[in-house]
Amino acid sequence: MVLAWFLSPFLVLVVPVTGGSGLLAITNLPQTISVPEDTQPWARIFTVKTPGMTPGMTPGMAYNMTPDTNFSINALGQVQVSAPLDYDLLPKDNTLMLEISVTSTTKKTKTFTGNLTVVVTNVFDVPPNLTSNTSVVTVKEELLQQTLSCNVTAVDAETEDGDKLTFSLSDTVVASLFCTDVDSVTTTTLSCMIVSGDPSSNFTTDTPGTSLSVKTAGPLDHETTTSYTLIVHVYDNDTEASRHTAVVTVVVQVEDVDDNAPVWVTMAQTIPVSEDVVPGSTFFTVLAIDPDTTPGSTVTYVVTGGTGKHSFKINSLTGELSTLVTLDCDNITKSYDLVLNASDGQHNTPSLSLTITVLDVNDNTPEFKETPYTYSIIENATLSTSVGTVSATDSDAGQNGMFFFSLDVFLQGTPSHFTIDQTTGVVSTTGGLDRESQDVYVALVKAIDKGQPRLTGTTTLVIHVTDINDNYPVFSANPYRGSVMEMDVHSSILTVSATDRDIGTNSMITYSINSLYPGHATASNFSINSSSGILSVVTPVDRETDPTFILHVLAVDGGTPSLTATATVMIDVEDVNEPPQWVATSTTVSMAEGLAVGTHVAKVVAVDRDSGIGGSVLYRIADIAASNGTPSLGVFDVNTISGDIRTTRVLDCDVGVRSYTVIITATDGLGQTASPNFTLNISLTDVNDNSPVFGRIAYSFTIAENMVVGITVNGTTQVSASDADSGQNNIVKYKIARFLEGESSHFSIDTDTGVITTASRLDRETNDRYVFVVVAQDTGVPPLTGSTTVTVTVTDVNDHTPQFSSAQYSGQVVEDAPNGTCILSLTVTDRDVSNSGTVTLSITTPQLAVDTFSIESVSGRICLRKTVNREDHSVYTFTVRADDGGSLTSTTTVTVHVLDVNDNPPVMSPVFYNTEVAYTGVCDSSITTVTATDADSGINGDITYFLERNVFAYLFTIDPYSGVFSMKSQAGKSSRYILAASAQDGGTPANNASTPAIVRVDTLDLNDVAVTIRLSVDKAAFEANSAVFIPTIESIVKSSFPSAILKLWCVESRSGSAVIPTSSRRKLLQSSSPVDVHVYAVADNASDDMDNINKSKTFLTSAQLLLPLASDPSGTPVRQLTTGAMKYFHVEAVTGYHLVVTPWAETTAGIAIITVSVVLAVVLITVTVVVICYTYKRRKRPVSPQRPSHVYSYGRPKQKPGKGAGLEIGYLKKHPPPVLTSLPLPTYTVKPLPMKTGEDGITSLDYTNNGGRAINRDFQGSAVDEATGRVYHYDTRKNQRRWMTTPEGKSVRVTHH
């Protein structure tokens, strides 16, 4: 078979054909030819030969073959495979019948036909293709009747059916495999075996056959092995060299079954627990284990019974035992029983019994029954007298509950007087007591238990020592001595005092004058307070009668029997000087203000009946009180002997003093003063001599601007003026005289009270300050006035909302601006002041703007909080709110435009274009449109297109703005061009697309592959409904070529009149031209993948396209093209496309270009010849010798410039001065050539000397001025020369030797 395929290009098949002039014999032709299914496409299997022709050499022969799905015939008559062969997809007999026709295209047309039978043979070289090489089977460890299956399918691409390996579980069968080998006609006997994964031989396979099984060889145990990975080989019975083997991995997972009950690890036992364990604390953990691993094998614990069921709990998962309550061995229970159970959900363990013993802890302190213990004992108690008993209890048990008493700490008193019995707690005396030394004993009694550590309870013991009357009263002095003034009554003389160390009733002392002593008949003049001991005189005594009194005072305590004491008291009587007595104690006088100093006011008189110096009287003014409280001593004076009172200054009642009160004393020679003092009341009468005076020079008040009319300024504010006069002269009236600032109608004043009120509404923003003059006038005759200035400041009320300068603001920021960049400033004002006028700015909505921008309240600047990206948000519109210090707000809208930065390169989309174009470029030279996008905007987003590394620039071009990719000139036929199209944006710097788009262009000879569909509608009508046209045509073509892709080449208008598309039968003509639609088809879409960019394209030929579209060779369209939606296009015919290509040299453009090229070549040759001749002629011209003596004549012409001068200048321009060609030059005695100075140091030579002539005809150069030796450049065209200088600016000179 391989040999046949190798020789197939050389086989010549001569087909017997009929037609024309009769049967033509074909030699060396087998009627049937076999072709292996793996023959490569485009392999030739034979060549058709007819009599009288040589294949590929005889012109005028056209070959055709049907059907041409798998085979085709080319223009040389060679039959070749055109598509991959598949034995399994052919008819059951694997035979194809091909009809071949040969047509002569000479003047005498002949057509010959013949049939050829091709048998495609099978090739056995495709192993099974497993859809899955691994299968997982779950098997319970005890095999119950159940079915678990998993499928692994091995598909042989050679047949419709595949080798199917199915695994199932039934009883002991783990996996069943059913396999067929489709490489042969009959089912192949297959075998399988386990090659690894079963070291203990727990599985077996069955005998060879079509049904293969993997079985268990014995029981499985999950607790021993959880899974097996079996490698199974399934193979046919061919020889080992050609054997095909399928490898299958069977994973057998042994599923655990809950077949074991939990087992207790913890045994029954007694558990000691200390009674001080904290509730909820874990004190013991039980454990039961379950060998199973199924989800239900988790062991859980529960308390099922016992006396401690409600006192203890168990963690159901961990088995931890903990207490629910506080344990108390002393008062509750000392032992508990617990019954526990463990379960895995399926099986339970036997119950576990535990005994919990509560251990005692020395946690109870001995407690006394009372605190404190208070006892009393008389101070004369004998030794060992019992005072009282203390008692205590301890709730602990055993040694912890035993205790003893201790009395060793005394807080008051000494411990030597009392003791306590350690066992009974009896307290008794150990020494003599004395209440007067220590009346209270306070001690701490301890009860100390015998536990570890020892705990101690304490209480307080208070022992009061009671009193007995065992002490006498004791006087503080003895004797006592005192005195009393004669005539004195009910006055205290002295106090006697006695003390008693006893307490209570025993210490209570009663005083009395002891009348048992003789010689005390005058004791009735005195008395003593029995409780306080105060001795007083009760009747007047006379010193001249009894100068001294002696008394005995008795002190008696309250004890039984009473104890007493006696003291002596001596009293002396003293003489008393009596004070003077006033004749009258007071008087009132009246006098006018303003009288002269020394004016007599009044006279006072006092008498003293004492004799001697004690009877003389002296007068003195003790005090003078003015009515207004001002100090006034010295206003009046009194004569100490006579008592006359006079003024010492001029009196003025206008200063606020309307009257005086003068206090006068009268004292005798011994210093006794008359009582009471004499009071003189002096009243002053007023004269109107004072103007009203305001309390302040100027008043300042504040008022809120929103106060209603008639409100008092500042609540209770008024101006007040006082008049030092009195009476009618003191009455003041008020009025506003004039306004210095502000409107006069806004305030008024009460004439009587001076209260200032508002007269109209105020507005701080209009007038925030008022200044006016208030006048006060009294009612005296004549009236007097005073004035003051009042300033009223209007305080602000928050009555104005903040005002933005604009309702909308707009700003812009570049997207790469850093954080903190400020964009614009907002201006907001508030006519209020202070806090009400303080404006706080904030961005409220949306949240995106709040997160992106910040605003400064003081400056109003809006700044970036974070960078922005125009591609995410090009415009931010948000609300800014202004809050004043009160509760008023206003808002404005701010729009921030994010300016683009060229930070995004263009992106080509798509990145692969798969196109075709006619190699001639006719009809439509555009190939495709390349597109790209740029996330930037404006000029940064403007895209221009270009071709990268365009080696085919002479063939293809791309419009930089539209991206239209088109052909410039004719390309090679059936060629493939790969180009890279890219894009560049308009930013600065510009960005190029990072990944160019690859454009594949395949050139077509449309004469071979295109068909023309002739329509009756015009181009506009076609384009309006083209979305229906191409899909419909493609669906018709796919009925014969399922993989074909139909493409529109171009739409061409032709001569004639188009019809208007209509659903009626009648066609309406219109003036526009109908169109021809040219289409072609690609055989498949293999080249649409960029990975296949170098793969050749296969096109359907024109003949292949016509088969499903035309019903006959004349081009009659098939029914699908004239019915349904296609009726709209009025399809007239479907024919093969044919274009006669004129050689380029014969086209108008070619002829024009060739003609121009020939003319240019002739001109170029002519110019070249002329230049050569000219150059040769100049090289042969002799140079005239220099004539130094006749170089120049520097004399200026006497005549005006005329014709002769003009001719000489022209001559000199043609023949310039000699050029310096070598140095040194000869020395000449000549005059310098006159120079005309121009701009930039340029001078003009005067060549108007008729006698001068040039001896060198060379053009521009350098020369030496013969007169000065300076070198210059000359220009004969401009008649100028320029002196040559060194870089330092010095002249260049030539020195002759």
Side-chain angles (χ1 to χ4, degrees):
M1 182 183 298
V2 176
L3 180 61
W5 176 83
F6 179 75
L7 297 175
S8 60
F10 306 99
L11 295 179
V12 177
L13 177 61
V14 180
V15 183
V17 297
T18 60
S21 60
L23 179 64
L24 300 177
I26 300 178
T27 60
N28 300 327
L29 173 64
Q31 293 301 315
T32 301
I33 185 170
S34 296
V35 178
E37 66 172 329
D38 58 353
T39 302
Q40 296 298 317
W42 309 117
R44 300 189 296 276
I45 59 176
F46 62 87
T47 301
V48 175
K49 180 179 181 183
T50 57
M53 56 80 69
T54 300
M57 300 297 294
T58 303
M61 303 300 290
Y63 300 91
N64 191 21
M65 180 175 65
T66 58
D68 58 357
T69 303
N70 299 96
F71 299 91
S72 63
I73 187 169
N74 59 23
L76 302 178
Q78 296 171 339
V79 178
Q80 54 192 9
V81 178
S82 61
L85 302 177
D86 191 344
Y87 175 86
D88 306 314
L89 300 179
L90 296 174
K92 292 184 178 181
D93 55 1
N94 306 319
T95 303
L96 296 176
M97 183 65 69
L98 304 179
E99 180 181 343
I100 302 174
S101 64
V102 182
T103 303
S104 172
T105 58
T106 58
K107 293 181 179 180
K108 188 174 182 180
T109 302
K110 295 182 179 181
T111 301
F112 307 94
T113 63
N115 297 324
L116 174 64
T117 300
V118 179
V119 178
V120 179
T121 60
N122 189 24
V123 176
F124 306 102
D125 56 353
V126 179
N129 180 20
L130 294 176
T131 59
S132 175
N133 294 325
T134 303
S135 176
V136 179
V137 180
T138 301
V139 180
K140 291 187 177 180
E141 60 179 329
E142 56 179 26
L143 293 175
L144 303 177
Q145 288 188 355
Q146 54 185 312
T147 300
L148 300 175
S149 64
C150 60
N151 294 329
V152 177
T153 303
V155 180
D156 191 337
E158 300 298 325
T159 63
E160 297 178 356
D161 297 328
D163 294 342
K164 297 182 178 177
L165 284 68
T166 63
F167 305 114
S168 64
L169 176 62
S170 178
D171 295 335
T172 61
V173 177
V174 176
S176 296
L177 296 76
F178 176 76
C179 307
T180 58
D181 191 341
V182 298
D183 281 336
S184 61
V185 177
T186 62
T187 302
T188 304
T189 301
L190 302 176
S191 298
C192 68
M193 65 177 177
I194 300 173
V195 297
S196 66
D198 185 20
S200 301
S201 302
N202 290 318
F203 301 92
T204 61
T205 59
D206 63 352
T207 58
T210 59
S211 178
L212 309 178
S213 301
V214 178
K215 303 180 180 179
T216 58
L220 304 178
D221 187 10
H222 172 81
E223 284 72 29
T224 302
T225 306
T226 59
S227 66
Y228 299 86
T229 301
L230 306 179
I231 306 301
V232 181
H233 283 188
V234 180
Y235 55 90
D236 55 24
N237 288 333
D238 292 339
T239 60
E240 187 171 352
S242 61
R243 175 181 298 171
H244 299 115
T245 301
V247 180
V248 181
T249 300
V250 180
V251 179
V252 181
Q253 295 180 342
V254 182
E255 183 178 348
D256 187 31
V257 176
D258 188 7
D259 54 355
N260 294 282
V263 178
W264 283 110
V265 177
T266 304
M267 306 303 292
Q269 55 186 292
T270 298
I271 304 169
V273 180
S274 178
E275 68 171 334
D276 61 352
V277 65
V278 179
S281 300
T282 300
F283 62 88
F284 190 74
T285 301
V286 298
L287 177 63
I289 59 175
D290 191 331
D292 295 321
T293 60
T294 59
S297 64
T298 301
V299 178
T300 58
Y301 304 91
V302 64
V303 178
T304 59
T307 59
K309 181 177 181 179
H310 302 295
S311 300
F312 300 90
K313 67 175 181 178
I314 190 169
N315 189 302
S316 63
L317 297 179
T318 64
E320 294 177 341
L321 282 172
S322 58
T323 59
L324 287 173
V325 298
T326 301
L327 303 181
D328 190 352
C329 173
D330 309 316
N331 302 314
I332 304 178
T333 304
K334 297 184 178 181
S335 179
Y336 298 88
D337 294 327
L338 281 182
V339 180
L340 307 180
N341 200 350
S343 173
D344 63 359
Q346 295 286 338
H347 309 88
N348 297 326
T349 62
S351 298
L352 174 64
S353 297
L354 299 176
T355 299
I356 300 175
T357 300
V358 182
L359 302 179
D360 183 54
V361 176
N362 188 25
D363 58 347
N364 291 285
T365 302
E367 295 181 0
F368 286 92
K369 294 182 178 180
E370 299 179 22
T371 182
Y373 283 92
T374 303
Y375 298 105
S376 297
I377 187 169
I378 194 166
E379 64 178 324
N380 61 348
T382 61
L383 296 179
S384 301
T385 300
S386 175
V387 178
T389 302
V390 297
S391 61
T393 60
D394 193 320
S395 299
D396 292 324
Q399 194 75 7
N400 296 331
M402 301 174 64
F403 57 89
F404 60 90
F405 297 101
S406 172
L407 180 64
D408 55 1
V409 178
F410 274 77
L411 304 179
Q412 292 184 31
T414 59
S416 61
H417 293 88
F418 298 95
T419 185
I420 188 169
D421 189 284
Q422 290 187 352
T423 304
T424 63
V426 174
V427 180
S428 58
T429 61
T430 59
L433 303 177
D434 183 11
R435 189 207 62 79
E436 286 73 26
S437 300
Q438 185 70 43
D439 61 346
V440 176
Y441 292 84
V442 179
L444 294 180
V445 180
K446 297 180 181 178
I448 305 171
D449 66 19
K450 298 181 180 180
Q452 291 297 328
R454 290 190 174 187
L455 300 179
T456 301
T458 60
T459 188
T460 303
L461 174 64
V462 179
I463 302 175
H464 295 276
V465 180
T466 60
D467 185 52
I468 61 173
N469 191 23
D470 56 351
N471 291 281
Y472 287 87
V474 177
F475 279 98
S476 59
N478 195 5
Y480 290 92
R481 194 176 190 92
S483 63
V484 62
M485 299 298 295
E486 65 176 332
M487 305 307 292
D488 194 3
V489 179
H490 302 299
S491 62
S492 297
I493 301 172
L494 55 82
T495 299
V496 298
S497 176
T499 59
D500 193 318
R501 295 183 62 193
D502 295 324
I503 61 173
T505 304
N506 297 331
S507 65
M508 296 178 63
I509 297 176
T510 303
Y511 300 97
S512 63
I513 298 175
N514 193 347
S515 60
L516 297 178
Y517 287 87
H520 287 286
T522 59
S524 60
N525 297 109
F526 303 93
S527 69
I528 190 169
N529 187 293
S530 63
S531 299
S532 63
I534 298 175
L535 183 65
S536 304
V537 59
V538 295
T539 60
V541 293
D542 188 359
R543 180 179 177 279
E544 287 72 21
T545 304
D546 293 304
T548 302
F549 292 88
I550 299 176
L551 301 178
H552 295 277
V553 177
L554 182 66
V556 181
D557 65 19
T560 302
S562 299
L563 300 179
T564 63
T566 302
T568 301
V569 179
M570 301 178 68
I571 302 173
D572 297 321
V573 179
E574 297 180 359
D575 186 27
V576 175
N577 179 34
E578 297 178 352
Q581 299 292 323
W582 293 105
V583 176
T585 59
S586 65
T587 187
T588 300
V589 296
S590 178
M591 62 183 298
E593 65 175 337
L595 296 178
V597 175
T599 300
H600 184 270
V601 178
K603 180 180 176 67
V604 294
V605 177
V607 294
D608 190 333
R609 294 183 177 86
D610 292 328
S611 60
I613 193 172
S616 61
V617 178
L618 298 177
Y619 300 97
R620 183 178 64 87
I621 295 178
D623 187 26
I624 301 175
S627 61
N628 64 352
T630 59
S632 300
L633 285 176
V635 175
F636 301 96
D637 188 25
V638 61
N639 189 292
T640 60
I641 303 301
S642 65
D644 288 331
I645 298 173
R646 297 179 183 274
T647 62
T648 62
R649 67 187 65 172
V650 177
L651 303 182
D652 185 2
C653 67
D654 301 331
V655 296
V657 179
R658 301 290 184 228
S659 63
Y660 293 92
T661 299
V662 181
I663 305 300
I664 304 168
T665 64
T667 306
D668 61 15
L670 296 178
Q672 290 291 325
T673 302
S675 180
N677 295 327
F678 186 87
T679 301
L680 176 63
N681 294 314
I682 302 172
S683 297
L684 300 181
T685 58
D686 182 57
V687 177
N688 190 24
D689 57 351
N690 292 283
S691 299
V693 178
F694 283 94
R696 304 178 193 171
I697 298 175
Y699 289 84
S700 294
F701 306 121
T702 59
I703 185 172
E705 62 177 323
N706 62 343
M707 290 298 179
V708 297
V709 176
I711 197 71
T712 301
V713 176
N714 206 18
T716 59
T717 298
Q718 67 182 84
V719 295
S720 177
S722 61
D723 195 313
D725 297 324
S726 60
Q728 194 71 19
N729 301 328
N730 182 255
I731 299 175
V732 178
K733 300 293 183 179
Y734 301 93
K735 66 179 179 178
I736 298 176
R738 64 186 182 279
F739 273 77
L740 304 178
E741 292 184 30
E743 176 59 42
S744 61
S745 62
H746 288 174
F747 292 95
S748 61
I749 190 169
D750 188 284
T751 57
D752 296 324
T753 64
V755 173
I756 301 172
T757 57
T758 57
S760 62
R761 289 299 299 264
L762 305 179
D763 184 11
R764 188 204 65 80
E765 287 71 30
T766 302
N767 199 340
D768 62 349
R769 172 183 161 100
Y770 295 85
V771 180
F772 49 89
V773 176
V774 175
V775 172
Q777 179 177 298
D778 62 22
T779 56
V781 179
L784 301 177
T785 61
S787 65
T788 188
T789 302
V790 178
T791 301
V792 179
T793 302
V794 181
T795 60
D796 186 49
V797 175
N798 192 25
D799 56 351
H800 290 86
T801 59
Q803 297 294 320
F804 285 95
S805 60
S806 176
Q808 292 183 339
Y809 292 87
S810 179
Q812 57 188 22
V813 63
V814 293
E815 61 178 324
D816 62 348
N819 292 352
T821 300
C822 293
I823 304 166
L824 73 159
S825 296
L826 276 59
T827 301
V828 60
T829 57
D830 193 317
R831 296 185 64 190
D832 297 319
V833 294
S834 187
N835 189 49
S836 300
T838 302
V839 179
T840 302
L841 300 178
S842 60
I843 300 173
T844 58
T845 56
Q847 187 61 39
L848 175 63
V850 176
D851 297 337
T852 305
F853 302 97
S854 63
I855 187 167
E856 300 174 357
S857 295
V858 177
S859 64
R861 295 189 303 174
I862 295 178
C863 305
L864 285 179
R865 192 187 298 274
K866 62 180 181 180
T867 58
V868 294
N869 187 357
R870 189 204 63 81
E871 288 70 38
D872 294 336
H873 298 283
S874 61
V875 178
Y876 292 84
T877 299
F878 51 90
T879 301
V880 174
R881 186 178 69 195
D883 298 88
D884 62 15
S887 58
L888 302 180
T889 64
S890 62
T891 59
T892 188
T893 300
V894 178
T895 301
V896 176
H897 297 271
V898 182
L899 301 182
D900 187 48
V901 173
N902 192 26
D903 55 351
N904 292 281
V907 178
M908 307 302 296
S909 177
V911 295
F912 179 60
Y913 295 84
N914 187 19
T915 63
E916 301 84 22
V917 70
Y919 78 97
T920 59
V922 297
C923 187
D924 187 1
S925 62
S926 62
I927 302 171
T928 187
T929 299
V930 176
T931 58
T933 60
D934 192 313
D936 295 321
S937 64
I939 191 172
N940 295 329
D942 291 342
I943 296 176
T944 57
Y945 300 91
F946 62 93
L947 296 175
E948 290 187 353
R949 301 181 300 278
N950 185 13
V951 297
F952 305 110
Y954 63 94
L955 290 179
F956 303 101
T957 184
I958 188 170
D959 188 281
Y961 303 108
S962 65
V964 174
F965 183 71
S966 57
M967 178 181 286
K968 292 170 59 176
S969 61
Q970 181 172 310
K973 184 190 298 185
S974 301
S975 300
R976 180 170 64 251
Y977 300 90
I978 308 298
L979 299 98
S982 187
Q984 183 181 77
D985 60 25
T988 303
N991 292 324
N992 289 351
S994 58
T995 303
I998 304 303
V999 182
R1000 170 179 174 165
V1001 182
D1002 291 86
T1003 58
L1004 306 176
D1005 186 351
L1006 275 302
N1007 288 333
D1008 296 336
V1009 299
V1011 297
T1012 299
I1013 303 176
R1014 185 178 293 267
L1015 307 182
S1016 297
V1017 298
D1018 61 6
K1019 189 172 184 179
F1022 168 77
E1023 292 176 346
N1025 211 18
S1026 60
V1028 176
F1029 184 83
I1030 295 300
T1032 304
I1033 301 297
E1034 185 176 57
S1035 65
I1036 298 173
V1037 173
K1038 282 182 176 291
S1039 63
S1040 300
F1041 306 97
S1043 300
I1045 302 172
L1046 190 75
K1047 297 192 177 184
L1048 175 66
W1049 171 35
C1050 73
V1051 180
E1052 246 182 340
S1053 298
R1054 68 175 188 274
S1055 61
S1057 298
V1059 299
I1060 299 175
T1062 177
S1063 58
S1064 64
R1065 295 176 179 267
R1066 183 169 60 90
K1067 299 180 180 179
L1068 303 177
L1069 296 178
Q1070 60 181 15
S1071 59
S1072 57
S1073 301
V1075 295
D1076 290 339
V1077 179
H1078 308 301
V1079 297
Y1080 65 94
V1082 183
D1084 53 47
N1085 65 348
S1087 62
D1088 287 347
D1089 190 346
M1090 190 172 178
D1091 293 338
N1092 298 329
I1093 193 170
N1094 292 318
K1095 184 175 182 179
S1096 300
K1097 288 184 184 177
T1098 303
F1099 298 92
L1100 298 183
T1101 64
S1102 300
Q1104 290 175 315
L1105 268 180
L1106 288 174
L1107 287 176
L1109 299 178
S1111 58
D1112 54 42
S1114 64
T1116 302
V1118 295
R1119 183 174 178 275
Q1120 294 95 312
L1121 295 178
T1122 59
T1123 59
M1126 293 299 293
K1127 189 175 180 180
Y1128 169 88
F1129 299 99
H1130 298 287
V1131 180
E1132 296 180 2
V1134 182
T1135 60
Y1137 176 79
H1138 181 71
L1139 174 65
V1140 178
V1141 179
T1142 304
W1144 178 80
E1146 298 179 11
T1147 63
T1148 303
I1151 295 173
I1153 292 174
I1154 292 173
T1155 302
V1156 172
S1157 299
V1158 171
V1159 172
L1160 290 177
V1162 172
V1163 172
L1164 182 60
I1165 293 171
T1166 302
V1167 171
T1168 301
V1169 172
V1170 171
V1171 171
I1172 293 172
C1173 293
Y1174 177 77
T1175 303
Y1176 177 78
K1177 188 175 181 181
R1178 283 182 56 83
R1179 292 181 61 188
K1180 295 298 183 178
R1181 175 177 297 176
V1183 180
S1184 301
Q1186 296 184 3
R1187 301 179 182 180
S1189 59
H1190 301 287
V1191 174
Y1192 301 106
S1193 176
Y1194 290 97
R1196 284 186 174 272
K1198 300 300 183 179
Q1199 70 278 14
K1200 294 181 181 180
K1203 183 175 181 181
L1207 290 176
E1208 188 64 13
I1209 291 174
Y1211 176 80
L1212 290 177
K1213 285 185 178 181
K1214 292 182 180 180
H1215 306 285
V1219 178
L1220 177 63
T1221 57
S1222 62
L1223 294 174
L1225 295 176
T1227 302
Y1228 304 101
T1229 303
V1230 294
K1231 295 181 179 179
L1233 183 68
M1235 305 283 293
K1236 297 180 179 179
T1237 302
E1239 297 178 357
D1240 300 327
I1242 299 175
T1243 58
S1244 300
L1245 295 176
D1246 188 357
Y1247 291 111
T1248 57
N1249 189 343
N1250 293 331
R1253 64 184 181 89
I1255 60 174
N1256 192 329
R1257 297 185 179 180
D1258 289 343
F1259 287 88
Q1260 293 170 311
S1262 302
V1264 178
D1265 182 67
E1266 298 178 359
T1268 62
R1270 296 177 64 185
V1271 181
Y1272 61 87
H1273 297 292
Y1274 60 82
D1275 187 343
T1276 58
R1277 292 172 298 175
K1278 298 180 180 179
N1279 193 25
Q1280 294 177 337
R1281 71 176 183 180
R1282 185 196 307 267
W1283 297 112
M1284 293 179 60
T1285 59
T1286 64
E1288 292 79 14
K1290 297 180 179 181
S1291 301
V1292 177
R1293 298 176 181 270
V1294 176
T1295 304
H1296 301 286
H1297 301 282

